[in-house]
Amino acid sequence: MIFTSVLFVLFEEQPIDTIYPEESPEAKITMNCRTRANPPATYKWKLNNTIIDLNEEGSHYSLAGGNLVISNPIKTKHEGRYYCLATNKYGTVVSQEGSVQFGYLDLFSSEEREAVKVKEGQGAVLLCAPPLHHPAELSFRWILNEFPTFIPLDNRRFVSQKTGNLYISKVDSSDTGNYSCIVSSPSISKSVFSNYISLEPLAERPIRKYPADLRVKFPDTTALVGQNVTLECFALGNPVPEIHWKKINGILPVSHEVRMAGTQLHLYNVQFEDGGTYQCEAVNSRGKDFHTSRVSIEAFPEWVEYITNTEKDLNSEYVMSCIASGKPKPKIRWLKNGELMRFNRLTFNDSGMYQCIAENHHSVIYANAELRVFACAPTFEHNPVKRVMAPKNGRVVIQCRPKAAPKPMFSWSKDTELLSNSTRVFIWEDGSLEILNVTRADEGRYTCFAENDRGKANSTGSLLVTESTKITLAPSNADVKAGENALMQCAASHDPSLDITFIWSLDGQVIDLHKDSQHYERTLVRHLGYSNGELLIKNTQLKHAGRYTCTAQTPVDNVTSSAHLVVRGSPGAPGGVRVINKTDKSVTLQWSRGTDNHSPISKYTIQYRDSFSKDVWKTATTSPADVEGNAETATVVDLFPWTEYEFRVIATNTLGTGEPSSPSPKDKTLEAIPVVAPSDVGGGGGTSRELTITWTPVQPQYYFGPNFGYIVAFKPQDEYEWKKVTVADPQARRYVHKDSALPPLTEFQVKVKAFNSKGEGPYSLTAVIYSAQDAVSEAPVNVDGRALSATEAIVWWLPLSQSNVDGYQVKYWRNQEDSEGGAQRVVVPSRENHTKLEGMKPDSHYLIEVRGYNSAGYGPPSDHLQIHTKKARMLCLYSISEPLVIAWEHVVPLANEASIDGYKVLYRQQGHSTGTLYTTSRRYIDLPLFTDGNYVVEVRAYTEGGDGAVAQIPITGGGVVAAQSLSILSLLLLALLCLNL
């Protein structure tokens, strides 16, 4: 019996685990405890199994309702396990446990951190070494040089959220800088910064390649059902390694996600089946590395069966049961009124509050219930015998359920006749009366009598007999194609005084006509004593096939009738696709037949995808070309050797093509000798005494095996013996042969072929190239020049007599202001011995050098030539009348400047680079005045050496902004000002 009112103690709030920051400005902790109880409960608290004395002198504890408040908490006194005891007159219950812990995050050590120096191309690890902290959960980020410039994470850089260390797989010059680790504790909302660590990449040419080397490896991990799990792997290496994940002897969970450029595998909402051994593999062109560890899935305790509030008869038998699931298997213990429970048989003293506790090392769960042991005389006050109806020829049970303890003796009467057990009438042990093959003569008043040692009582009800319900039109079997409609008929006769309804089910599951209205429609027609409830199945799908049952139901009885619906359609997906044999270019597949959906399978289509086509499925070539519908194996041909493939199988029948099977486990074809040679073989040039050979690398799908590389063969044109060298990098594009005895510009024949662990492939076409020239050995002489203007100069020199000069480089920079590294450069072909230098600064001393060059590099520089550019003079503009007249002061050239040939005037609209250009030898000009828009007038002097500096004056809305129409006095003052510039 379940209680209908709260006469016991039920927790509504219980203490939970609490982290109190040691630096918290709020100097108190509140542990919650609130119950629903009648009468109201009183509260006590325990710390580590010891009752807390709230009245102790100097106590930090107080109660607010049932809540425990700890004021000015102290770690040595108040850290521990707390639980609440709630008591009323029916007993005591104990809350779940809640811990109090003190959280902190210390500062990093102030000691300077040593600089990290590493060669470009090598990997680097910057250690975070977080300070002392509690709790353990931290998050990590790194900044570069200054806050908040956070390190962007990609396939080359990784921050472990386990250790906080920063990993760089391949260091380059852009990594130069000062790094600081930021550690954050989400539990106490605090972050601290480490001292900076300087990372100094060391230049190395050429940059070496390094094999993949896993430095971050996820440990054996235990997680709870429903939690999320993150596994980390990261490798150093050059080229930057790729990370691949897999589950040994299984497939990755559907809910997995690979993030952070492959360095993290996230498993969401893990279940027991997600446990197992996981592997990460790091791969680059120089090698591979892998790591495996186990993921174990466990679970909190969870109730399978637990105690509930119960009333039991005095001296009756009762089993109180608690069953809990969990991993590890939970241990069960019992409490009564807060104490360990021990009893053998029920008495009044066994009444009380009971608790069942299940725990493993992950958690503890509680179930609370009240047991009442009682005794009373029979009473029908709350459950009298009722008026019931029964169908003719049917069966009826009239219940007799008085409240009584101990259990009473039962007897029955009909009208005035005392009933006893017979072939049609039975009195059950619980007091119920059963009548079989009911007739109209069974109608009447029925009385139940109950008696025990505490008293007796009786209650009277009645029985009404109705006509039984019968199926008059039963559904019949149907056979349709998918997409067609099907009709299931069902009609029944019934007692005219009763309502009737028709319920349809498919394979035992009731059809929700509202939810599935897209496919199901029921027609309900009612007549007096006869009704129809046929079911229309619209646009049938394969899922609609099965056994349909019509139930004609009244408040008194029901009858059923069933029929089968066959839906024919395209085949189901085949199952269990796997590779059972393989060669370098073929695999043999095996699968199990899927359902044919009542139409024989006519053929199978096999599709594949590989690691190069990503998610694109392609139709495979098979042997034989057509895979018959009765086949369960086939051979796929024309595959690439040493390539990882997945396969799926699709079945077809006369009604269509079905869904594809699940992909087979990934499998790799066997190795083979390469058949593709590198293309575009050529080369030449380079540094003196070198032979440079270049080619286009073979694409990875043509490697055909591990340990892929190239064999480079070369020989002088007039020799017969080839020299061969091995290049182990599959991504290599060139090989440089160095030989101090190598003559310049010598004709060579070269060819390249690929190899792997199985053997060598064919050579490429032979190409003809030439060894590098000797570098230019002479410096240009008789270098001379002059300034043309404030920004330009011309320079010339005596051509070199060597025949291997491809051209000249002229370098120029300001003697005092610029460094030679920032010099401007001009390149001219070997047929010329002069050039114009532009973009120079006015009135500046420039140093100029000239050197010859060819494909082997630059020759020695000439002696430095000094040139002084001319001084630029600023014009002074003003407007003297309207319409627009612009005037300026005459520019008098200095001693090192060319004489003025005239002036250029550009009249353009504001924001435009082009306009109307005028030239004049006068010191003023008349210009048209536009009434709308903004304009600019630019004036500059020009000479034989070029144009001088620009002076500007803006024009707006029909007038001059900088100088409106001036009076004679103003004009004279402006002229004097210009003369003093």
Side-chain angles (χ1 to χ4, degrees):
M1 181 182 299
I2 303 301
F3 298 163
T4 57
S5 60
V6 181
L7 298 175
F8 52 92
V9 181
L10 177 67
F11 281 107
E12 293 186 330
E13 285 188 3
Q14 301 188 64
I16 60 174
D17 293 342
T18 301
I19 303 294
Y20 175 74
E22 292 185 353
E23 302 172 8
S24 173
E26 184 178 4
K28 71 175 182 179
I29 301 171
T30 300
M31 303 294 283
N32 293 331
C33 184
R34 182 163 59 89
T35 60
R36 181 157 47 96
N38 184 14
T42 59
Y43 300 91
K44 293 182 181 180
W45 282 81
K46 282 187 176 183
L47 168 59
N48 299 332
N49 293 321
T50 301
I51 290 289
I52 296 173
D53 184 357
L54 300 174
N55 299 318
E56 182 183 7
E57 184 178 351
S59 172
H60 293 250
Y61 298 106
S62 61
L63 278 183
N67 297 344
L68 180 68
V69 179
I70 310 172
S71 301
N72 300 313
I74 301 172
K75 180 176 182 179
T76 55
K77 289 185 177 182
H78 302 124
E79 194 167 59
R81 298 175 290 108
Y82 289 79
Y83 50 92
C84 167
L85 291 84
T87 303
N88 68 5
K89 71 178 185 178
Y90 293 105
T92 299
V93 289
V94 180
S95 73
Q96 69 183 25
E97 184 182 282
S99 67
V100 169
Q101 300 177 60
F102 285 68
Y104 63 92
L105 175 59
D106 288 350
L107 297 176
F108 276 95
S109 168
S110 59
E111 293 182 4
E112 292 295 323
R113 298 229 179 173
E114 292 186 5
V116 176
K117 300 180 180 181
V118 61
K119 294 180 181 179
E120 290 185 17
Q122 288 184 337
V125 181
L126 304 187
L127 303 181
C128 180
L132 295 175
H133 58 277
H134 184 81
E137 293 77 18
L138 297 175
S139 64
F140 302 91
R141 290 184 294 176
W142 285 75
I143 58 174
L144 175 60
N145 295 328
E146 60 182 0
F147 184 85
T149 307
F150 294 105
I151 300 294
L153 302 181
D154 49 32
N155 64 337
R156 195 173 66 87
R157 287 168 291 202
F158 174 72
V159 175
S160 169
Q161 293 304 311
K162 308 298 182 184
T163 64
N165 298 339
L166 170 63
Y167 297 83
I168 304 175
S169 62
K170 181 193 74 170
V171 171
D172 60 37
S173 59
S174 67
D175 295 318
T176 303
N178 296 311
Y179 292 76
S180 174
C181 178
I182 304 177
V183 178
S184 300
S185 173
S187 300
I188 63 173
S189 302
K190 180 180 178 181
S191 299
V192 293
F193 295 68
S194 73
N195 281 341
Y196 280 105
I197 305 171
S198 175
L199 177 60
E200 301 175 11
L202 305 176
E204 183 179 52
R205 297 294 183 271
I207 297 177
R208 294 177 58 189
K209 303 285 180 72
Y210 299 92
D213 178 15
L214 279 168
R215 291 298 184 90
V216 179
K217 303 176 182 179
F218 66 97
D220 286 343
T221 302
T222 299
L224 295 172
V225 168
Q227 288 185 336
N228 300 333
V229 177
T230 299
L231 307 180
E232 295 184 340
C233 271
F234 188 78
L236 310 183
N238 181 23
V240 174
E242 293 183 358
I243 306 291
H244 304 288
W245 294 87
K246 67 179 179 180
K247 183 181 181 185
I248 305 299
N249 298 325
I251 60 174
L252 290 173
V254 175
S255 61
H256 84 278
E257 181 183 6
V258 177
R259 295 171 54 186
M260 297 294 293
T263 59
Q264 291 182 340
L265 175 65
H266 290 266
L267 307 178
Y268 296 99
N269 187 27
V270 294
Q271 303 300 312
F272 286 118
E273 59 268 23
D274 297 332
T277 301
Y278 287 77
Q279 181 184 90
C280 67
E281 182 182 52
V283 182
N284 69 5
S285 60
R286 303 293 295 188
K288 64 175 66 175
D289 193 8
F290 69 90
H291 168 73
T292 60
S293 280
R294 184 161 185 80
V295 175
S296 301
I297 308 300
E298 298 187 349
F300 288 122
E302 186 174 357
W303 290 120
V304 176
E305 181 180 325
Y306 56 90
I307 56 176
T308 57
N309 301 312
T310 306
E311 281 188 341
K312 298 299 294 183
D313 297 353
L314 180 67
N315 297 325
S316 65
E317 293 183 358
Y318 176 59
V319 176
M320 191 177 287
S321 175
C322 271
I323 301 174
S325 65
K327 189 176 181 182
K329 183 177 177 60
K331 295 179 180 179
I332 304 291
R333 55 190 174 94
W334 293 83
L335 294 178
K336 178 189 178 187
N337 294 333
E339 302 297 333
L340 287 174
M341 184 192 73
R342 294 183 180 91
F343 62 85
N344 296 319
R345 60 188 295 260
L346 288 176
T347 67
F348 286 121
N349 291 333
D350 293 323
S351 295
M353 295 299 303
Y354 289 84
Q355 288 184 287
C356 177
I357 303 170
E359 61 183 322
N360 62 16
H361 62 251
H362 295 301
S363 184
V364 181
I365 56 176
Y366 296 75
N368 306 332
E370 182 185 359
L371 171 63
R372 289 189 194 170
V373 180
F374 74 101
C376 68
T379 174
F380 288 92
E381 180 182 357
H382 299 295
N383 197 15
V385 177
K386 296 178 174 58
R387 175 181 180 269
V388 296
M389 292 187 294
K392 186 178 177 181
N393 300 320
R395 168 184 174 272
V396 67
V397 175
I398 306 174
Q399 292 185 340
C400 180
R401 297 288 175 85
K403 181 176 181 180
K407 182 179 177 181
M409 300 292 292
F410 296 99
S411 61
W412 282 84
S413 68
K414 177 180 182 292
D415 298 328
T416 60
E417 178 188 356
L418 189 63
L419 299 177
S420 60
N421 287 341
S422 67
T423 57
R424 282 200 322 118
V425 178
F426 304 93
I427 300 175
W428 292 359
E429 185 179 351
D430 68 357
S432 299
L433 177 66
E434 179 183 24
I435 305 173
L436 304 177
N437 300 321
V438 175
T439 67
R440 291 286 184 183
D442 293 321
E443 288 185 335
R445 293 170 58 81
Y446 287 81
T447 302
C448 176
F449 300 91
E451 181 177 357
N452 66 10
D453 60 2
R454 305 245 170 179
K456 58 185 176 180
N458 64 77
S459 178
T460 300
S462 62
L463 173 63
L464 175 66
V465 179
T466 64
E467 291 295 327
S468 59
T469 305
K470 298 177 182 178
I471 297 288
T472 57
L473 180 61
S476 56
N477 295 336
D479 189 325
V480 297
K481 294 179 181 177
E484 295 178 343
N485 294 344
L487 181 65
M488 290 287 177
Q489 294 180 323
C490 189
S493 62
H494 55 92
D495 191 295
S497 66
L498 300 177
D499 287 334
I500 189 171
T501 186
F502 291 87
I503 300 171
W504 285 90
S505 60
L506 171 59
D507 294 332
Q509 297 295 319
V510 174
I511 297 171
D512 187 332
L513 298 174
H514 176 72
K515 182 179 179 181
D516 295 332
S517 60
Q518 180 181 358
H519 291 288
Y520 292 110
E521 181 181 319
R522 186 190 63 187
T523 303
L524 185 57
V525 179
R526 289 191 179 97
H527 298 287
L528 193 62
Y530 177 83
S531 299
N532 190 320
E534 66 184 19
L535 179 69
L536 176 64
I537 309 166
K538 302 176 290 185
N539 185 25
T540 57
Q541 305 298 307
L542 294 173
K543 64 181 180 180
H544 296 135
R547 180 182 177 85
Y548 282 81
T549 300
C550 170
T551 301
Q553 181 171 303
T554 70
V556 176
D557 65 344
N558 65 78
V559 289
T560 62
S561 183
S562 300
H564 281 91
L565 174 64
V566 174
V567 180
R568 302 182 186 274
S570 55
V577 180
R578 63 191 182 97
V579 175
I580 60 173
N581 190 30
K582 61 184 178 181
T583 68
D584 58 341
K585 296 181 180 178
S586 68
V587 299
T588 300
L589 298 177
Q590 184 180 66
W591 61 89
S592 58
R593 293 169 56 86
T595 175
D596 63 8
N597 291 321
H598 309 289
S599 180
I601 296 171
S602 56
K603 69 171 184 176
Y604 287 100
T605 301
I606 298 176
Q607 295 181 331
Y608 71 90
R609 65 181 177 189
D610 55 37
S611 53
F612 306 106
S613 61
K614 302 301 182 184
D615 293 330
V616 178
W617 288 94
K618 302 176 182 177
T619 300
T621 303
T622 59
S623 178
D626 297 322
V627 182
E628 299 294 334
N630 58 356
E632 292 188 8
T633 62
T635 299
V636 179
V637 298
D638 297 342
L639 299 176
F640 282 85
W642 202 61
T643 300
E644 191 172 66
Y645 287 95
E646 292 176 280
F647 300 92
R648 67 183 187 184
V649 181
I650 304 171
T652 301
N653 63 15
T654 56
L655 297 178
T657 297
E659 292 294 318
S661 68
S662 297
S664 67
K666 292 180 179 178
D667 208 336
K668 186 177 283 189
T669 49
L670 301 181
E671 304 161 15
I673 295 173
V675 297
V676 175
S679 59
D680 303 323
V681 176
T687 306
S688 179
R689 312 303 176 190
E690 289 183 352
L691 178 67
T692 300
I693 303 167
T694 61
W695 62 89
T696 298
V698 173
Q699 295 299 308
Q701 59 263 44
Y702 298 104
Y703 288 176
F704 288 7
N707 303 319
F708 185 87
Y710 302 99
I711 295 175
V712 181
F714 55 94
K715 70 178 184 69
Q717 179 69 29
D718 54 356
E719 293 185 11
Y720 295 100
E721 185 175 348
W722 293 83
K723 178 175 286 189
K724 299 177 183 179
V725 293
T726 299
V727 178
D729 183 0
Q731 298 178 351
R733 295 175 172 272
R734 58 188 285 147
Y735 168 74
V736 178
H737 175 68
K738 298 181 180 181
D739 185 350
S740 59
L742 190 67
L745 291 176
T746 301
E747 183 177 331
F748 277 81
Q749 290 183 325
V750 296
K751 56 186 179 180
V752 184
K753 67 178 175 180
F755 72 89
N756 63 20
S757 59
K758 291 290 287 185
E760 299 175 5
Y763 272 112
S764 66
L765 296 175
T766 301
V768 175
I769 63 173
Y770 292 86
S771 60
Q773 310 179 67
D774 281 340
V776 176
S777 59
E778 298 177 6
V781 296
N782 294 343
V783 178
D784 203 356
R786 65 183 177 87
L788 297 177
S789 68
T791 59
E792 296 174 337
I794 188 170
V795 63
W796 58 85
W797 58 90
L798 192 65
L800 292 172
S801 60
Q802 292 180 265
S803 62
N804 63 342
V805 178
D806 291 343
Y808 299 92
Q809 181 199 68
V810 181
K811 186 165 67 173
Y812 56 102
W813 66 97
R814 287 187 294 178
N815 189 18
Q816 301 296 329
E817 296 87 345
D818 300 335
S819 66
E820 185 175 353
Q824 296 171 268
R825 290 169 172 81
V826 177
V827 175
V828 297
S830 60
R831 64 179 178 274
E832 298 181 4
N833 69 329
H834 64 276
T835 188
K836 189 177 183 181
L837 308 182
E838 299 176 332
M840 306 175 82
K841 301 294 184 182
D843 193 23
S844 298
H845 293 275
Y846 273 83
L847 294 179
I848 302 168
E849 71 172 30
V850 184
R851 63 174 72 196
Y853 73 89
N854 60 20
S855 60
Y858 291 98
S862 67
D863 293 335
H864 287 170
L865 167 69
Q866 289 198 36
I867 289 181
H868 185 198
T869 56
K870 298 185 177 182
K871 185 176 180 182
R873 297 300 303 274
M874 181 66 70
L875 290 168
C876 189
L877 303 181
Y878 48 91
S879 170
I880 59 174
S881 67
E882 294 186 18
L884 196 58
V885 177
I886 302 297
W888 55 88
E889 288 299 314
H890 177 59
V891 177
V892 178
L894 300 178
N896 65 336
E897 293 181 330
S899 59
I900 303 300
D901 293 337
Y903 300 93
K904 295 179 180 179
V905 180
L906 178 63
Y907 191 21
R908 62 179 175 82
Q909 192 170 2
Q910 187 82 39
H912 293 68
S913 59
T914 59
T916 305
L917 182 65
Y918 305 90
T919 57
T920 180
S921 58
R922 297 178 297 180
R923 286 182 289 138
Y924 65 91
I925 191 169
D926 297 331
L927 296 173
L929 182 62
F930 299 106
T931 58
D932 59 339
N934 298 325
Y935 290 81
V936 174
V937 177
E938 297 181 352
V939 181
R940 70 176 73 203
Y942 67 89
T943 69
E944 65 172 357
D947 296 341
V950 168
Q952 288 185 346
I953 187 168
I955 313 295
T956 181
V960 183
V961 171
Q964 297 288 348
S965 298
L966 302 176
S967 64
I968 296 298
L969 179 60
S970 299
L971 182 59
L972 290 174
L973 290 173
L974 182 59
L976 289 172
L977 178 62
C978 289
L979 289 173
N980 290 328
L981 288 178

